[in-house]
Amino acid sequence: MNLFDVYPLYDVTPVSAKGIVVTDDKGTEFLDFYGGHAVISIGHSHPHYVKRLTDQLNKIGFYSNSVKNPLQEELAAKLGQLSGCENYNLFLCNSGAEANENALKLASFHTGKSRVIAFTNGFHGRTSAAVAATDNPKINAPINLQQKVTFLPLNDLEAFKTEIEKGDVCAVIIETIQGVGGLDEPTTDFYQQVAQLSKINKAILIADEVQCGFGRSGKFFAFQHHDIQPDIISVAKGMGNGFPVGGILIHEDIKASYGLLGTTFGGNHLASVATLAVLEVLEEEKLIENAGHLEGYFRALAAEIPQIKKVKGRGLMLGLEFDFEVADLRKRLIHDQHLFTGGAKDKRVLRVLPALNITENHLDTFFTALKAELQ
């Protein structure tokens, strides 16, 4: 049997990793400034993370959600405390797509409506309603197109007002910082108006924090830069530092009932411990503050490079915009400078999504290598 060939692959085979250093099968070391799509939030093989998972695996790794799992309750309490979202309840699942799927389903249950408003260049996953709400026709199969989704330009308040006031919208889903789309953001005024109009028109506001949440933006959640309160917050990626974990935070105004949502693997013992370990390291090492501090340092170094036309994003979810497509630059950074970076739907944007415990010295190395390839 062969693998189903759906990924274009770089010719690099990692076999071990520590911090932001990834070592391949030839012994070559790479600095990881991409974290596998912002998944590695506290560094590869962080000792606290490894110990927590190892200790748990030696006790019990999995049982279904038909029995009590106090680790889930511990996780919900810790997440509420660190995020400031104590007036939410937590449902755990396995991925960002599944988180958004459950968020959209719950919004439809709660409102009794079915149309979704999403935004141009948004990405919410590859399954069912989540992919239907993703602005990419290439990954939407005919079966996905049954969903009723209206795409609107980001920051176009008049267009939003026109659609939300039609009264048939169950959910408004928005990435606070777009990931795949290329690091665009809603303005604070637009986000606040969206929140207000959604509430007036009885639509559920879903903040997609799958990539920008868990401290990456310099606050626990990126929507906290805009002083709004979503009805549902979706999370995943950096939540488990590589262990498959996802979830939604559901405002306490939305009530639960048995059977409303469900999952086989979500919130299992290992997943809960992986997320607890991430939260503990974020708190102990002050990594959210570090992400906020390093954004300023990053922007200062970027300002010294004339080929960089714009710096996008916040914290350590950043994009460098050029006036040329960056695919070849990314290849040279990997093969000549031994640095991992990311691309975006906007092919002129180089994405930088490192672990939140990198240092100024790491950024110095990154920009030295970037300058060498831009000469």
Side-chain angles (χ1 to χ4, degrees):
M1 183 185 293
N2 295 317
L3 295 174
F4 195 53
D5 190 9
V6 293
Y7 299 114
L9 301 176
Y10 290 106
D11 187 19
V12 178
T13 306
V15 294
S16 65
K18 185 79 172 175
I20 71 161
V21 178
V22 175
T23 305
D24 75 0
D25 56 350
K26 300 178 180 66
T28 304
E29 292 186 345
F30 298 79
L31 291 185
D32 185 4
F33 286 94
Y34 190 56
H37 311 301
V39 166
I40 302 300
S41 51
I42 59 170
H44 295 277
S45 304
H46 189 289
H48 180 69
Y49 177 83
V50 171
K51 184 176 189 307
R52 280 288 246 152
L53 280 167
T54 302
D55 289 349
Q56 185 59 47
L57 191 57
N58 283 322
K59 296 174 185 174
I60 178 173
F62 171 82
Y63 206 78
S64 78
N65 285 304
S66 60
V67 297
K68 290 184 176 181
N69 181 354
L71 290 168
Q72 292 185 1
E73 295 174 8
E74 184 184 349
L75 169 54
K78 188 71 173 178
L79 178 55
Q81 173 212 332
L82 286 190
S83 68
C85 294
E86 292 178 299
N87 56 335
Y88 288 75
N89 295 309
L90 177 64
F91 175 79
L92 290 162
C93 54
N94 307 284
S95 70
E98 192 180 343
N100 284 326
E101 206 69 56
N102 280 291
L104 291 163
K105 181 178 182 180
L106 190 56
S108 187
F109 268 135
H110 184 73
T111 62
K113 297 182 283 190
S114 59
R115 187 161 70 103
V116 173
I117 290 178
F119 295 92
T120 304
N121 292 328
F123 184 95
H124 303 291
R126 291 178 175 269
T127 59
S128 192
V131 76
T134 291
D135 182 25
N136 185 348
K138 291 181 180 178
I139 62 171
N140 269 273
I143 195 171
N144 306 124
L145 301 178
Q146 300 174 78
Q147 311 285 347
K148 293 185 282 188
V149 180
T150 302
F151 290 100
L152 300 177
L154 198 61
N155 296 318
D156 187 336
L157 185 57
E158 286 307 310
F160 179 79
K161 192 169 186 292
T162 297
E163 291 300 325
I164 195 73
E165 289 179 349
K166 291 179 180 178
D168 62 341
V169 174
C170 72
V172 177
I173 187 165
I174 183 168
E175 289 174 280
T176 310
I177 306 172
Q178 291 186 337
V180 173
L183 289 300
D184 289 317
E185 303 175 65
T187 65
T188 294
D189 179 64
F190 179 75
Y191 212 163
Q192 290 178 348
Q193 294 277 0
V194 164
Q196 183 179 5
L197 288 165
S198 296
K199 189 176 186 65
I200 290 169
N201 290 280
K202 296 181 170 52
I204 295 297
L205 177 60
I206 301 167
D208 182 339
E209 297 269 336
V210 166
Q211 190 168 126
C212 57
F214 262 67
R216 183 154 291 279
S217 75
K219 290 187 181 289
F220 196 95
F221 289 124
F223 72 78
Q224 291 168 330
H225 291 283
H226 303 287
D227 193 26
I228 61 112
Q229 185 177 74
D231 299 297
I232 301 176
I233 306 157
S234 56
V235 289
K237 293 200 185 295
M239 187 176 185
N241 200 53
F243 198 96
V245 191
I248 50 175
L249 282 66
I250 305 152
H251 193 272
E252 60 191 8
D253 288 346
I254 300 173
K255 302 305 178 186
S257 62
Y258 290 153
L260 192 67
L261 302 176
T263 173
T264 297
F265 298 104
N268 65 69
H269 297 75
L270 289 175
S272 295
V273 160
T275 308
L276 278 164
V278 168
L279 291 172
E280 288 156 1
V281 173
L282 289 178
E283 182 178 36
E284 178 68 23
E285 299 184 10
K286 296 181 168 51
L287 298 190
I288 300 175
E289 295 87 341
N290 189 54
H293 163 72
L294 288 182
E295 179 191 340
Y297 192 74
F298 184 98
R299 287 179 178 275
L301 293 176
E304 299 172 0
I305 301 177
Q307 293 96 326
I308 296 172
K309 304 307 175 188
K310 188 177 182 180
V311 178
K312 305 173 76 175
R314 295 177 187 258
L316 286 175
M317 183 174 177
L318 296 163
L320 297 175
E321 185 178 292
F322 298 89
D323 59 5
F324 57 86
E325 294 188 3
V326 301
D328 186 62
L329 174 60
R330 284 185 66 203
K331 288 178 184 176
R332 297 200 311 273
L333 286 171
I334 289 176
H335 296 298
D336 299 337
Q337 301 295 330
H338 300 149
L339 299 181
F340 290 163
T341 59
K345 185 178 179 182
D346 183 343
K347 298 183 184 303
R348 301 166 303 156
V349 173
L350 187 75
R351 276 198 292 167
V352 182
L353 307 167
L356 305 186
N357 52 3
I358 66 163
T359 65
E360 291 183 357
N361 286 340
H362 289 130
L363 291 181
D364 290 339
T365 300
F366 173 82
F367 278 101
T368 297
L370 183 61
K371 286 177 183 176
E373 291 305 323
L374 291 171
Q375 284 177 356

